[in-house]
Amino acid sequence: MRSRFWGPIAVLLGWFVVAYSGLVSRLLLPSPVETAAALSSGYRVLWWDLAATLGRLCVAFAIGSSLGVVTGTCLGMSRKLYGFFELVIDFFRSLPVITLFPLAMIMFGLGNLSKVALTAWTVFLLTVVNTIYGVRQVPRTRVLAARTLGARKLSLVFKVLVPSAIPTIIGGLRLAVSLGLVVVIVTEMFTGTASGLGKRIYDAGLIYEIPTMYAAIIIAGFTGFALNKIITLAEGRVAHWSGK
């Protein structure tokens, strides 16, 4: 456990050395002390921004992940249905989400709806792909055994297919929450909002409040780390049989 802390400690020490050595301008790289001071003095605004970002992410994640699991399960169960939508899914999965920013603004405006919609779409794509793979990788012998024991279609889905695919689904959710956080923050930067970590980072950079910008970036990083840890802990409880 203790070895895990050596990496962050080394990064922090390196930050101190570079900041105070003059190798990089203090305008571009404030010291950890200056960044901590900005975090302390502006914590109320920064925590409000964090709450706004998390609120958008949670709504989008709930919508995108639930629809993704349902859709992915249906497509994973039916080869014909999957073949029908395979090209569409691969097309949108390969399309950089940034290209959809103008479309989201035109369709949903500059408010929260466009941010939530674009993030939910991102989460949906990652979740549906991983759910498809998870369902299709369930051993056929397990499905046949369940049918032999009299399992009907709904029982087969909820007691065999989805539980067997849970480790793969949760892996997709971890990717989805990370990328979803990225999309939320980027949309807050460029599609207009009153609050949010993205807006704080962008505004602080424009007026050269660099310590505040670094403080907001650090909060965003720890937020992504915490969300991944939460999903990992959930995986340990829900899919304890997977050996992870």
Side-chain angles (χ1 to χ4, degrees):
M1 289 290 293
R2 293 180 181 177
S3 62
R4 295 183 179 181
F5 295 101
W6 286 115
I9 291 173
V11 171
L12 187 61
L13 290 175
W15 185 3
F16 266 106
V17 171
V18 174
Y20 286 107
S21 66
L23 293 174
V24 179
S25 171
R26 294 288 285 274
L27 182 65
L28 300 177
L29 183 66
S31 70
V33 175
E34 292 171 319
T35 303
L39 181 60
S40 176
S41 62
Y43 74 95
R44 292 190 179 183
V45 174
L46 289 170
W47 293 132
W48 180 256
D49 289 329
L50 174 61
T53 298
L54 278 179
R56 297 179 183 111
L57 177 61
C58 288
V59 172
F61 186 79
I63 295 171
S65 60
S66 57
L67 291 177
V69 170
V70 172
T71 305
T73 302
C74 295
L75 294 177
M77 290 176 59
S78 173
R79 290 187 177 275
K80 290 184 178 180
L81 194 61
Y82 173 72
F84 186 79
F85 287 103
E86 181 180 10
L87 182 59
V88 177
I89 293 173
D90 286 343
F91 172 79
F92 282 108
R93 184 178 61 167
S94 304
L95 184 68
V97 69
I98 194 172
T99 61
L100 298 177
F101 282 4
L103 180 62
M105 287 188 290
I106 292 171
M107 293 181 64
F108 302 109
L110 297 176
N112 284 329
L113 187 57
S114 62
K115 300 171 183 60
V116 171
L118 199 58
T119 306
W121 174 249
T122 303
V123 172
F124 169 79
L125 284 176
L126 285 169
T127 306
V128 75
V129 169
N130 278 270
T131 303
I132 290 171
Y133 289 157
V135 170
R136 295 187 68 180
Q137 288 173 0
V138 175
R140 185 168 177 79
T141 53
R142 191 175 300 174
V143 177
L144 292 175
R147 286 176 175 169
T148 302
L149 294 172
R152 296 185 178 181
K153 200 158 192 177
L154 283 178
S155 180
L156 185 67
V157 170
F158 291 108
K159 293 184 177 181
V160 178
L161 294 177
V162 172
S164 299
I166 278 179
T168 305
I169 294 172
I170 292 181
L173 293 178
R174 291 181 63 184
L175 293 173
V177 75
S178 297
L179 189 55
L181 179 62
V182 172
V183 173
V184 168
I185 289 176
V186 172
T187 55
E188 288 171 348
M189 288 180 176
F190 300 113
T191 60
T193 183
S195 59
L197 289 176
K199 175 180 172 56
R200 189 63 49 200
I201 293 169
Y202 186 73
D203 288 352
L206 284 179
I207 59 178
Y208 284 90
E209 289 185 358
I210 306 302
T212 300
M213 184 182 74
Y214 273 76
I217 292 172
I218 289 172
I219 291 175
F222 275 111
T223 300
F225 176 80
L227 291 172
N228 266 280
K229 282 297 181 182
I230 291 171
I231 295 178
T232 301
L233 291 174
E235 180 182 10
R237 290 182 175 272
V238 176
H240 53 83
W241 64 86
S242 65
K244 295 181 180 180

